[in-house]
Structures are given as structure tokens and as C-alpha cells.
């Protein structure tokens, strides 16, 4: 049977359907909309033609007003802009739903990277035993974070889900109803969400997507790869940050941490309860029905307990299920055994925790906490405050237990309370409920030892907790090996690691690394840090596990993630793949049963490929590394000069939408870590930093410095070296292809008017020239005539989304220009300024939501 190419499937099942359903949408009779549906396509055409004629956003909108609006006042124009924004927001939702509906058609669910493909390839290469051995220890952990990179409120997410089903079933009447509902449903959250609100919204994905997908996958592996053999390894597990991530989020409290942990457990019990109810309809046999009912009732009581009481333990649940299984096998001809095995597999996978709640805090906070406690001279020996790092490590190794959080200031109290909360959560949800303490801004071994000492101070002598340093900025990545060696040779930490099975998790973050050192240096520094930490860990007999803070656009470590993991080679430990997923990455890559399975299977496949099928193929030679060192250094020099340009911070503050991220009710976290009015680059969070460049369609963090680095090899007659590396290294190929995605989502005609700006014109030109250089050389090295031409469906999706938001981007730039103009007036009209600032903020939502395929 003929299967059309992927791009044909995309065109037929996504683009064609979008045009059909969008034509339905823009003709729906909404209240007070007038003829917006007629005007929007006209405005969209005028935007496209206007930018080709090198008009600026203001000229485009004014020409449109002159041509299609009769003597309209400024207020009429403002009203129309808001109506355009409302329409475009909903067009993006429609496109999301159509893409989700077409996912299993456009993507080959049983093709390369699938579990079926892994199984068949292992059989064909006589490597089934090796595959089984690998799956006995390997794990994939996806960690859900609440970083605000998607702004749909709950009701809109529900409509997307229903609309996806209706589109898949071609139910035109239902689609019209849902589009009408969409038109009347608010997209804006009136209040900022709390960390608990964010947790609840992400628990929905665990309940409705991950629970079923992960359970089915592990059941498939046990049944088809292990067959009759037992595999006790939880191949898939999940992490959770909302409610536990205290780094820079002043709104995370101990109460919220405990509430989130409770919500996770109760959500899981609901899944178990629903599953046992389905089994009850099948397992109606003698000696079995009573046992099933007993589990059902205990789960029901545990869900509805007012005081967090649990009416059965995890061991009791597992034992009871195994008793039921034996009876079904021995007395009832194994009837419905497959369904029962699936439930048993899920209980083994999720325990009572559902997802492990990680606690994260900044090392600077720990230093403040220890200084506060040391002042008393009770729990830490005298001299701590004046001691050097080595002496402090010795002092805290002998810290005395018994601190009372209520005796200290707010920062110290909340930090100590988080330790007590972890112990409480473990008593209810099991050890996996909350067993990792992550240290942001980790610079030294002392930062890790302080975190360990916190547990000792709180009376938890042998904590069942992993201490996880997070290395992110370039200097910290370079020093990571020496930090880890210091820890491995510290007696107190050695004892802790021995109790934890000599396993050490190390987190490596992309966001602040890219912000600090640019795209090439961040990625290469992380690669080298992984190799160096692997080497030192193997030397000391420590099983190191890497946890990557990746997600979103390539500038934040996103892009073709599974290709990145498949490219790492044997000198980087491959025991687990751990990765953060967030915002639009969750909804686009893991938001439906199909996309979730596809992407989880690809992550598993990446680990298998790296270890079983292509183990030595991705090994970089010494010469390769020398070239990459040069490449990264040249990119770093260009980016550092750019970052140190006197107009860098003013450009972000005055030209971009940076300050509007703080105004929007998009997440519980502040846009920057400090409370000062002055913008300090080091305090700026990565999401508004990357997002601001994205709103300008100048995706600087994903490409700046790449062109200059490649140009160095071209002009020095060494192009063949970098070309050979691209052709033979999957790591380099993936790295540069991901940068191409950043270029493909850039659109400089939108801001070309800035080149004439007396203050920022030269700075804009620097960005544009680097863009042109990077584009030329990336096309040259790939042998392409257009960006992303080897991913035609991804290219087509990006182009369609960019087409949808073009009017939105134009409106945003128009509003920014009006704000600047109004502020320059002798007597600024504050009310009018506030209106245009609201237009900027509202358009920010749609522009970001449209970028869901950035991961």
C-alpha cells in the first residue's frame, strides 16, 4: 500500500483542513464583532505585501485604515486591533487542534524510533539479550515544569482537546459549536496563577495523558521484549517542579509544597480507582470479586479523606493485586489477565507518588541561611562566618541537629521547612514522592555540602534524598569536574553517596548557559562538562546520571531532542535520560496520547541507539574536539562583544517586549530574580530573555555567533574541516540544524524600520548582519537552498503559524511605536499609553502560543 510522503500527509490533513475550518470560523456571527472576519484576511494580505515593499508596521496599519475604514477615530482603530487579536488567538487554537488531530497520520507511529522498530531491529541484529539488559537499568524521566511559555487558561485547553477529537472525526457540526464556544471564551487570566494553580494545570496532563501512555508503553515492553521474564525496572518515571521549585519564586511556600504533593497522590488514586472500576466489570469471578471491591473501597476512601489519611499501603495494594493475579491464572483460565497485568504495571510505575516533586533552591540562599544559623554559635561551631571554604565544609560536617525553623527570618525558616516537608511527603507518597534537592547557581563543592548539612541540622541524619548540583553558566560548567571530584573525595559526602547506591545526579541547564555564553559555547560547554564528569565519576566508581534543563526553542536546549541524545557517544554516561519539559513543549510534544507516546518512544530509542546500535559511531576524535573548541570560542567572542555592547540592555528594555512579560498574568514567578528597578543581566530570567527576542522575530539566543564562528573557518581556508565535522558528527549536525530552526522563525522585515533609529539603528544592524551571515553559512554547510528543507512538514508548520501571527506581530509593533511616541509627547496621555501597552501584552500571548513547534 502506497504511503504518501510526510509533507503530502501534512498538507492534506493539516493545511487543507485549516483553510476549510478557518473559513467556517471567520463567518461565525459573534456579538459586537461587526465585519472583523472579513477585514482580518485583508489586513493579513496587506501585512505580507507591505513588508515586501519595506513598509514599517505603522505605515501598514495606517494604509489599511485609510483603505478599508471610513473616517475611523483612534478608538475605533484600537477596538479593531483588539478584535483582530481575539480572532488570531482563536485561529492559533484551531491550528493547534488540527495538528494534534493529524499527528498519528503525519507521523509514522510504528516507524523509526518506535518501540516496535527497536524490537524488530534488535531481533534482526541478534541483540535482544543486550536490549533486555539495557532496559533492566535504563530510565527516561520527563520533568514537568511550570515555566510560563504557554498562556492558555484551563477552559481553552479543554476546548482544544474537544476540538481535536471533533476534527479527527470530521464532525462539522461539533466543530462549528466548539469554534463558536471558542469565540466567546476568555483567553486572558484576570489574576496571576499561584504555584498551586500551575501544579493543578500540569497534573491534568499526568492524569489524562502520561498515566495511560507510560502504562501502555511499559506493558508493551514487558509483553513483547521481556516476554516471560520479569523486569522490575521502572523504565519511565516523571518529575514535577510546580510547588517545589523555590528558586527565585517567592510565592512557593511549605504549605503549597505539601498541597501539591497531596494533589499528585490523590490524582493518581483517581486514576487507580477508575482503572479498578473498569476491572471490576470484568473480574466478576468467585474469590476475585471481593478482593477487587476491597481495593476499590479503600481507594475511594483515600481520595475523599479530609485529613490526608490513606487506607491502604503501596505494599498492600501490590500484594492484593498479585493474589488476584494468581487466582485468575489458577482458577479462571487467565481471563482478562492482560488488563490486570496493565494495572499491576501502572502501580509499579507510579507507586503512590505519580511524579517526584523536586525541591530546588539557589545556592546564594543557602549561604544566607548558614550565616543566619551560624550567628547563634549553637548548631554550627564558632568561627564559621570567618572561615574559608575548606574550613566551612569541616564545620558543617559536624553540624548539630535540632534547629527550629520558627526561630529564624523568613528565608531561613522557609528553607528549613522545605526539608521537613520532604520528610512528610515521603511518609505519605513514598520515597519517590520527594527525594531530590536541586541547587541552582552551583559554583563550588561547598554549595552541595551545605545542602546536605541542611538535612543534618533538621535531624534527618541519613536522608533518603539525592543532592543535585545544577551547573549552568559557562564558568560553572568549566569547573564542574573539579567540583564533583571534591565531593567524591569528601568523607561525609562519600558516606551519603554510599547510602544512595553510589549514584549521583548532576543537572546541566541550557537557558542561563545560552544567555551567558551564546548558543555554540553553551552547547559545547555542556557536552564537555558531561564528558569530564563522566570520566571523573567512573574513576571514583560513581554512577553518574545527567539531568538536562532543556525545553522550548533551541536557545533553551530544545529542537530535535531525541537526536541530541542519540548523538552523545560512549564517553558520556547513558544510564538515564532526564529532561525538563515545559509550557508549549508539554502541550505540543506530550499533550495528546499520540504525541506523548511518539516522543517518549523516541527518547527511549535515543538511549538504545546510543548504547546498543550505534555505541561507538558518535565518538568525537581529539581533532574534532579541537575544531569544536575553536568554533565555540569564536562564537563566544562574537556573542560576548554583543552582550557587552552599551545598547544591549537598553535595547531589551526600550525596544523589546521584555517589561511586558512582567505585566502579563502568565505565571507565578517574577520576570527577574531581584526586586530592584534596575535591570541586571545576571538577574534576568531566561524565559523573558529568550521570549523577548522571539517577539521581535530576532531569535538572537538561537543563532548569534554561529555565523561568525563558521565564517572564521571559511575565511581562513579551513571550511573543509568544519564541513567534514558536520557530515560525520550527529552532535554537530543536530546542533546546527536546531540553530536553523531559530533562523526559520526569525523575520527581520518586521523590525527593519529600526535600522533608521538614531539610537538603536547600528545595534539592529549588528543583529541583522549576523543573521544573514549565519543563514548563508548554515545553508552552505547543509547543502540546502532553504532553511529546514530536510524537515518539510516542520517547515510548513512554522510557515503557516508565522502567516497566522503576522497581523498580530504587526499590531504589536504598531502599539510599541505608539507607546514610544506618546511617551515622547510634552504631556503624555497616560490613559492612551495604558491602552497601547495592553495591546502589546495581549499580542504577546498569541505570538508565544503560536510557537508551540519550537521544541
Amino acid at each position: 500500500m502506497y504511503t504518501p510522503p510526510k509533507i503530502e500527509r501534512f498538507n492534506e490533513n493539516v493545511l487543507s483542513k485549516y483553510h476549510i475550518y478557518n473559513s467556517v470560523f471567520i463567518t461565525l456571527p459573534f456579538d459586537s464583532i461587526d465585519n472583523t472576519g472579513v477585514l482580518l484576511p485583508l489586513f493579513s494580505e496587506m501585512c505580507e505585501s507591505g513588508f515586501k515593499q519595506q513598509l514599517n508596521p505603522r505605515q501598514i496599519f495606517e494604509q489599511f485604515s485609510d483603505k478599508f475604514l471610513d473616517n475611523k477615530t483612534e478608538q475605533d482603530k484600537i477596538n479593531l486591533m483588539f478584535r483582530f487579536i481575539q480572532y488570531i488567538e482563536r485561529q492559533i487554537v484551531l491550528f493547534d487542534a488540527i495538528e494534534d488531530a493529524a499527528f498519528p497520520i503525519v507521523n509514522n507511529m510504528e516507524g523509526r524510533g518506535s518501540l516496535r522498530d527497536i524490537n524488530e531491529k534488535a531481533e534482526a541484529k541478534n541483540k535482544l539479550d543486550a536490549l533486555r539488559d539495557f532496559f533492566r537499568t535504563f530510565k527516561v524521566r520527563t520533568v514537568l515544569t511550570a515555566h510560563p511559555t504557554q498562556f492558555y487558561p484551563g477552559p481553552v485547553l479543554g476546548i482544544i482537546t474537544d476540538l481535536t477529537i471533533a476534527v479527527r472525526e470530521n464532525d462539522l457540526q461539533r466543530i462549528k459549536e466548539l469554534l463558536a464556544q471558542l469565540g466567546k471564551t476568555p483567553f486572558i487570566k484576570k489574576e496571576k496563577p499561584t504555584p498551586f494553580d500551575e501544579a493543578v494545570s500540569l497534573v491534568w496532563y499526568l492524569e489524562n495523558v502520561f498515566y495511560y501512555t507510560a502504562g501502555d508503553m511499559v506493558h508493551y515492553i514487558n509483553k513483547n521484549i521481556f516476554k516471560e521474564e520479569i523486569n522490575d525496572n521502572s523504565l519511565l518515571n516523571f518529575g514535577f517542579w510546580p510547588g517545589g521549585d523555590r528558586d527565585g519564586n517567592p510565592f512557593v511556600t511549605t504549605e503549597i509544597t505539601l498541597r501539591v504533593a497531596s494533589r499528585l497522590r490523590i490524582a493518581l488514586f483517581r486514576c487507580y480507582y477508575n482503572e479498578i472500576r473498569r476491572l471490576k466489570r470484568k473480574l466478576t469471578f468467585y474469590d476475585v470479586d471481593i478482593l477487587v471491591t476491597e481495593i476499590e473501597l479503600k481507594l475511594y476512601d483515600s481520595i475523599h479523606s479530609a485529613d490526608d489519611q490513606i487506607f491502604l499501603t503501596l505494599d498492600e495494594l501490590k500484594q492484593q493485586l498479585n493474589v488476584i493475579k494468581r487466582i485468575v491464572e489458577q482458577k479462571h483460565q487467565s481471563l482478562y489477565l492482560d488488563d490486570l497485568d496493565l494495572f499491576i504495571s501502572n502501580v509499579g510505575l507510579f507507586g503512590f507518588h505519580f511524579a517526584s516533586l523536586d525541591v530546588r533552591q539557589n545556592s546564594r540562599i543557602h549561604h544566607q541561611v548558614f550565616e543566619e544559623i551560624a550567628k547563634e554559635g549553637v548548631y554550627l561551631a564558632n568561627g564559621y562566618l570567618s572561615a574559608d571554604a575548606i574550613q566551612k565544609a569541616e564545620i558543617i560536617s559536624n553540624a548539630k541537629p535540632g534547629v527550629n525553623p520558627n526561630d529564624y527570618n523568613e528565608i531561613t525558616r522557609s528553607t528549613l521547612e522545605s526539608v521537613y516537608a520532604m520528610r512528610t511527603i515521603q511518609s505519605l507518597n513514598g520515597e519517590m514522592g520527594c527525594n531530590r534537592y536541586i541547587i541552582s547557581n552551583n559554583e563550588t563543592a561547598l554549595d552541595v555540602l551545605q545542602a546536605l548539612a541542611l538535612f543534618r541540622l533538621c535531624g534527618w541524619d541519613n536522608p533518603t534524598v539525592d543532592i543535585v548540583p545544577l551547573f549552568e553558566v559557562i564558568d560553572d560548567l568549566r569547573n564542574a569536574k573539579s567540583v564533583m571530584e571534591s565531593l567524591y573525595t569528601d568523607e561525609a559526602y562519600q558516606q551519603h553517596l554510599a547510602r544512595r547506591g553510589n549514584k549521583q545526579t548532576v543537572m546541566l541547564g541550557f537557558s542561563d548557559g545560552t544567555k551567558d555564553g551564546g548558543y555554540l559555547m553553551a552547547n559545547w560547554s555542556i557536552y564537555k562538562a558531561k564528558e569530564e564528569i563522566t570520566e571523573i565519576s567512573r574513576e571514583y566508581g560513581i554512577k553518574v546520571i545527567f539531568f538536562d534543563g532543556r525545553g522550548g526553542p533551541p536557545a533553551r536546549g530544545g529542537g530535535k531532542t531525541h537526536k541530541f541524545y542519540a548523538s552523545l557517544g560512549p564517553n558520556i554516561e547513558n544510564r538515564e535520560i532526564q529532561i525538563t519539559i515545559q509550557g508549549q513543549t508539554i502541550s505540543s510534544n506530550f499533550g495528546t496520547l499520540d504525541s506523548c507516546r511518539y516522543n517518549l518512544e523516541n527518547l527511549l530509542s535515543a538511549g538504545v541507539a546510543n548504547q546498543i546500535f550505534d555505541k561507538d559511531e558518535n565518538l568525537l576524535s581529539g581533532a574534532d574536539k579541537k575544531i569544536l573548541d575553536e568554533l565555540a570560542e569564536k562564537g563566544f567572542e562574537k556573542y560576548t562583544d554583543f552582550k557587552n555592547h552599551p545598547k544591549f540592555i537598553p535595547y531589551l528594555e526600550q525596544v523589546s517586549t521584555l517589561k511586558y512579560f512582567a505585566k502579563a498574568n502568565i505565571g507565578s514567578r517574577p520576570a527577574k530574580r531581584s526586586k530592584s528597578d534596575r535591570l541586571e543581566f545576571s538577574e534576568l530570567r531566561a524565559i523573558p530573555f529568550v521570549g523577548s527576542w522571539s517577539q521581535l522575530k530576532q531569535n538572537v539566543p538561537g543563532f548569534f555567533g554561529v555565523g561568525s564562528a563558521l565564517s572564521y573557518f571559511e575565511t581562513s581556508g579551513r571550511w573543509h574541516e568544519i564541513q567534514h565535522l558536520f557530515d560525520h558528527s550527529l552532535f554537530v549536525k543536530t546542533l546546527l540544524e536546531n540553530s536553523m530552526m531559530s533562523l526559520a522563525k526569525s523575520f527581520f522585515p518586521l523590525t527593519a524600520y529600526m535600522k533608521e533609529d538614531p539610537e538603536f539603528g547600528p545595534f539592529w544592524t549588528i543583529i541583522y548582519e549576523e543573521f544573514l551571515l549565519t543563514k548563508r553559512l548554515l545553508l552552505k554547510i547543509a547543502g540546502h537552498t532553504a532553511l529546514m528543507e530536510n524537515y518539510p512538514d516542520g517547515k510548513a508548520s512554522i510557515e503557516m503559524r508565522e502567516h497566522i501571527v503576522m497581523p498580530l506581530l504587526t499590531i504589536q509593533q504598531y502599539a510599541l511605536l505608539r507607546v514610544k511616541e506618546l511617551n515622547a509627547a510634552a504631556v503624555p496621555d497616560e490613559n492612551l499609553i495604558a491602552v497601547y501597552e495592553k495591546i502589546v501584552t495581549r499580542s504577546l500571548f498569541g505570538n508565544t502560543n503560536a510557537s508551540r513547534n519550537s521544541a
Side-chain angles (χ1 to χ4, degrees):
M1 181 179 172
Y2 170 71
T3 302
K6 201 170 184 181
I7 185 61
E8 287 186 24
R9 302 198 301 272
F10 181 86
N11 289 338
E12 180 181 346
N13 294 279
V14 180
L15 290 187
S16 296
K17 284 190 176 182
Y18 173 74
H19 290 306
I20 292 168
Y21 295 138
N22 186 49
S23 66
V24 173
F25 176 63
I26 62 176
T27 58
L28 288 172
F30 297 124
D31 296 337
S32 311
I33 295 296
D34 300 329
N35 56 350
T36 311
V38 175
L39 291 175
L40 181 56
L42 298 173
F43 181 52
S44 182
E45 287 177 17
M46 189 163 277
C47 290
E48 296 215 4
S49 62
F51 286 123
K52 286 176 183 175
Q53 297 168 37
Q54 300 184 338
L55 300 180
N56 67 43
R58 176 153 193 179
Q59 290 170 324
I60 290 169
F61 188 77
E62 294 298 349
Q63 278 192 13
F64 172 79
S65 301
D66 293 342
K67 187 171 182 180
F68 295 106
L69 306 180
D70 296 327
N71 301 317
K72 294 292 184 181
T73 64
E74 182 159 23
Q75 186 59 52
D76 290 329
K77 294 176 184 177
I78 288 169
N79 292 341
L80 182 62
M81 281 188 270
F82 275 118
R83 294 204 301 271
F84 278 166
I85 291 170
Q86 290 172 329
Y87 253 77
I88 295 164
E89 284 177 327
R90 286 152 179 81
Q91 287 178 315
I92 294 162
V93 168
L94 175 61
F95 194 79
D96 285 350
I98 293 169
E99 269 203 322
D100 287 345
F103 191 92
I105 301 170
V106 174
N107 298 280
N108 185 355
M109 300 295 290
E110 303 295 335
R112 188 174 182 181
S114 68
L115 283 175
R116 181 176 175 178
D117 176 59
I118 294 170
N119 193 18
E120 291 176 352
K121 193 180 290 184
E123 284 183 342
K125 295 190 175 188
N126 201 26
K127 291 190 174 183
L128 261 180
D129 287 339
L131 181 62
R132 290 190 192 106
D133 288 342
F134 180 68
F135 276 165
R136 284 192 179 96
T137 58
F138 184 72
K139 297 179 190 291
V140 167
R141 178 187 290 218
T142 49
V143 180
L144 306 184
T145 75
H147 296 332
T149 52
Q150 186 181 56
F151 313 136
Y152 292 136
V156 174
L157 287 171
I159 294 172
I160 294 175
T161 301
D162 294 341
L163 192 55
T164 300
I165 295 168
V167 169
R168 189 170 289 171
E169 296 173 352
N170 289 313
D171 186 344
L172 184 57
Q173 182 56 38
R174 181 71 178 131
I175 290 167
K176 288 178 75 171
E177 290 173 351
L178 288 164
L179 290 175
Q181 180 186 351
L182 196 64
K184 294 174 176 290
T185 301
F187 270 49
I188 301 303
K189 300 169 183 174
K190 293 183 179 178
E191 298 178 354
K192 275 185 178 289
T194 67
F196 185 72
D197 295 331
E198 291 171 331
V200 169
S201 67
L202 292 192
V203 168
W204 184 93
Y205 289 100
L206 287 170
E207 279 188 277
N208 293 281
V209 182
F210 286 99
Y211 179 83
Y212 298 102
T213 304
D216 284 345
M217 285 174 61
V218 171
H219 186 52
Y220 175 93
I221 290 168
N222 290 340
K223 188 176 178 182
N224 295 282
I225 294 176
F226 283 92
K227 298 182 172 37
E228 301 302 318
E229 296 181 35
I230 297 218
N231 177 32
D232 292 327
N233 178 40
S234 296
L235 255 171
L236 300 171
N237 51 72
F238 304 96
F240 206 77
W241 274 21
D245 180 10
R246 291 170 173 261
D247 176 30
N249 189 338
F251 309 113
V252 173
T253 63
T254 305
E255 179 197 2
I256 285 175
T257 302
L258 294 170
R259 282 179 68 199
V260 169
S262 177
R263 183 70 174 232
L264 283 165
R265 186 184 66 254
I266 290 170
L268 177 61
F269 282 174
R270 279 201 299 262
C271 291
Y272 287 167
Y273 177 75
N274 291 334
E275 198 159 355
I276 203 73
R277 292 273 295 172
R278 286 190 291 271
L279 276 171
K280 186 179 179 181
R281 292 175 66 90
K282 297 178 178 180
L283 302 179
T284 53
F285 323 134
Y286 184 70
D287 286 342
V288 171
D289 54 347
I290 295 172
L291 296 175
V292 172
T293 300
E294 188 178 328
I295 293 173
E296 176 198 3
L297 293 175
K298 287 181 177 179
L299 284 170
Y300 181 87
D301 290 341
S302 300
I303 291 168
H304 296 95
S305 169
D307 55 359
D308 261 356
Q309 189 174 354
I310 302 169
F311 291 88
L312 80 169
T313 67
L314 179 58
D315 285 340
E316 286 170 353
L317 177 59
K318 287 180 176 179
Q319 288 168 10
Q320 190 108 324
L321 288 171
N322 283 323
V323 169
I324 293 169
K325 179 176 178 176
R326 281 197 301 274
I327 296 172
V328 169
E329 286 175 328
Q330 294 168 6
K331 296 185 178 180
H332 303 292
Q333 293 76 48
S334 296
L335 191 57
Y336 296 124
L337 185 62
D338 207 41
D339 300 271
L340 180 59
D341 277 341
L342 176 59
F343 185 36
I344 292 171
S345 174
N346 283 347
V347 172
L349 202 58
F350 297 108
F352 273 12
H353 61 280
F354 215 165
S356 300
L357 185 63
D358 289 342
V359 172
R360 183 170 75 130
Q361 185 55 280
N362 197 298
S363 64
R364 292 170 186 154
I365 297 295
H366 293 154
H367 290 298
Q368 292 178 37
V369 167
F370 275 82
E371 287 176 9
E372 177 75 10
I373 294 172
K375 289 176 185 175
E376 296 175 298
V378 176
Y379 302 104
L380 296 171
N382 289 326
Y384 177 85
L385 292 173
S386 58
D388 61 25
I390 295 173
Q391 293 167 332
K392 283 180 176 178
E394 176 64 28
I395 291 170
I396 63 176
S397 70
N398 295 301
K400 295 178 182 177
V403 292
N404 184 345
N406 294 321
D407 293 341
Y408 301 99
N409 64 31
E410 184 181 349
I411 287 176
T412 302
R413 177 181 57 75
S414 63
T415 304
L416 294 170
E417 280 181 349
S418 66
V419 172
Y420 288 101
M422 292 181 78
R423 201 164 192 176
T424 300
I425 293 166
Q426 287 197 12
S427 71
L428 293 167
N429 293 17
E431 182 188 318
M432 286 290 288
C434 190
N435 68 342
R436 301 206 304 189
Y437 195 102
I438 300 167
I439 310 154
S440 300
N441 191 44
N442 199 106
E443 297 176 334
T444 66
L446 180 63
D447 294 336
V448 178
L449 297 175
Q450 282 183 332
L452 180 60
L454 280 176
F455 293 87
R456 191 177 298 113
L457 287 165
C458 294
W460 199 352
D461 287 336
N462 299 318
T464 47
V465 173
D466 296 322
I467 312 296
V468 182
L470 166 54
F471 302 105
E472 197 154 16
V473 299
I474 304 304
D475 284 346
D476 293 347
L477 289 164
R478 287 171 174 163
N479 297 330
K481 177 183 176 181
S482 63
V483 169
M484 297 315 298
E485 184 166 23
S486 297
L487 290 171
Y488 294 157
T489 55
D490 180 89
E491 185 178 350
Y493 199 72
Q494 279 181 337
Q495 293 171 1
H496 170 71
L497 279 180
R499 291 192 298 269
R500 300 301 292 161
N502 280 324
K503 285 185 179 179
Q504 173 66 55
T505 302
V506 175
M507 186 174 181
L508 301 155
F510 280 73
S511 300
D512 282 333
T514 312
K515 181 166 72 81
D516 180 47
Y519 182 75
L520 288 174
M521 181 58 83
N523 279 276
W524 181 230
S525 296
I526 288 167
Y527 187 99
K528 288 201 296 184
K530 283 188 172 184
E531 280 203 330
E532 291 170 354
I533 295 169
T534 297
E535 180 186 18
I536 199 70
S537 299
R538 288 173 177 173
E539 184 180 324
Y540 284 92
I542 303 299
K543 298 184 280 284
V544 72
I545 295 158
F546 293 113
F547 173 27
D548 289 310
R550 305 171 61 88
R556 304 192 59 240
K560 301 291 181 183
T561 307
H562 60 281
K563 280 197 168 186
F564 165 82
Y565 282 109
S567 75
L568 294 182
N571 290 340
I572 291 175
E573 204 65 83
N574 184 41
R575 297 178 184 277
E576 299 189 19
I577 287 176
Q578 296 194 7
I579 181 172
T580 56
I581 56 173
Q582 59 222 13
Q584 81 269 32
T585 319
I586 299 174
S587 61
S588 63
N589 286 9
F590 301 91
T592 67
L593 294 171
D594 292 320
S595 62
C596 184
R597 177 159 190 151
Y598 181 85
N599 285 292
L600 283 178
E601 288 190 6
N602 268 276
L603 286 174
L604 271 178
S605 174
V608 171
N610 208 3
Q611 190 72 22
I612 306 294
F613 300 134
D614 310 318
K615 187 170 183 179
D616 296 318
E617 289 184 16
N618 296 311
L619 192 61
L620 291 170
S621 68
D624 293 338
K625 291 178 181 178
K626 189 171 182 297
I627 293 169
L628 278 164
D629 279 336
E630 287 186 83
L631 190 73
E633 194 58 46
K634 293 299 176 185
F636 183 57
E637 288 172 8
K638 180 69 175 180
Y639 179 78
T640 302
D641 287 346
F642 175 66
K643 190 176 70 172
N644 292 333
H645 193 287
K647 293 301 177 186
F648 185 89
I649 294 294
Y651 187 83
L652 281 173
E653 284 188 301
Q654 298 175 40
V655 173
S656 82
T657 57
L658 181 66
K659 69 178 181 180
Y660 295 93
F661 277 87
K663 294 173 182 286
N665 292 328
I666 56 179
S668 67
R669 307 196 315 170
K672 55 192 180 76
R673 288 181 170 88
S674 70
K675 294 181 180 179
S676 65
D677 292 333
R678 188 167 178 265
L679 178 62
E680 296 288 346
F681 183 76
S682 61
E683 297 291 336
L684 181 60
R685 290 195 177 276
I687 286 170
F689 175 72
V690 173
S692 297
W693 291 111
S694 176
Q695 296 281 318
L696 287 168
K697 290 304 182 186
Q698 302 171 5
N699 291 309
V700 160
F703 75 80
F704 199 92
V706 175
S708 292
L710 292 173
S711 177
Y712 167 77
F713 283 86
E714 184 185 50
T715 55
S716 59
R718 298 172 59 197
W719 182 259
H720 61 283
E721 295 179 31
I722 203 75
Q723 185 68 59
H724 180 269
L725 200 53
F726 179 86
D727 293 338
H728 293 89
S729 167
L730 182 59
F731 171 75
V732 175
K733 191 180 184 72
T734 303
L735 184 68
L736 296 184
E737 282 186 348
N738 282 343
S739 186
M740 284 189 207
M741 186 186 292
S742 292
L743 296 179
K745 301 186 80 172
S746 298
F747 184 68
F748 279 84
L750 178 72
T751 55
Y753 68 89
M754 290 183 190
K755 66 185 173 188
E756 308 300 335
D757 187 278
E759 182 178 1
F760 294 113
F763 188 76
W764 182 93
T765 302
I766 290 171
I767 301 170
Y768 184 51
E769 287 177 349
E770 183 68 14
F771 166 82
L772 292 176
L773 181 64
T774 305
K775 181 178 178 180
R776 179 179 72 80
L777 292 176
L778 285 180
L779 290 175
K780 177 180 178 179
I781 203 168
H784 294 169
T785 55
L787 295 168
M788 293 183 67
E789 70 178 43
N790 54 332
Y791 298 107
D793 58 311
K795 182 171 180 283
S797 177
I798 288 173
E799 286 174 351
M800 191 63 218
R801 288 176 180 276
E802 298 299 307
H803 172 76
I804 293 170
V805 298
M806 183 65 67
L808 201 57
L809 294 163
T810 308
I811 288 170
Q812 185 181 75
Q813 285 296 317
Y814 176 85
L816 285 166
L817 286 167
R818 285 292 285 132
V819 169
K820 184 177 181 180
E821 181 183 353
L822 289 164
N823 277 319
V827 182
D829 186 334
E830 297 297 339
N831 291 330
L832 198 53
I833 290 170
V835 170
Y836 278 108
E837 288 190 332
K838 186 177 180 182
I839 288 174
V840 175
T841 306
R842 283 294 307 277
S843 56
L844 184 149
F845 290 95
N847 290 337
T848 303
N849 288 336
S851 300
R852 73 185 306 210
N853 57 6
S854 60

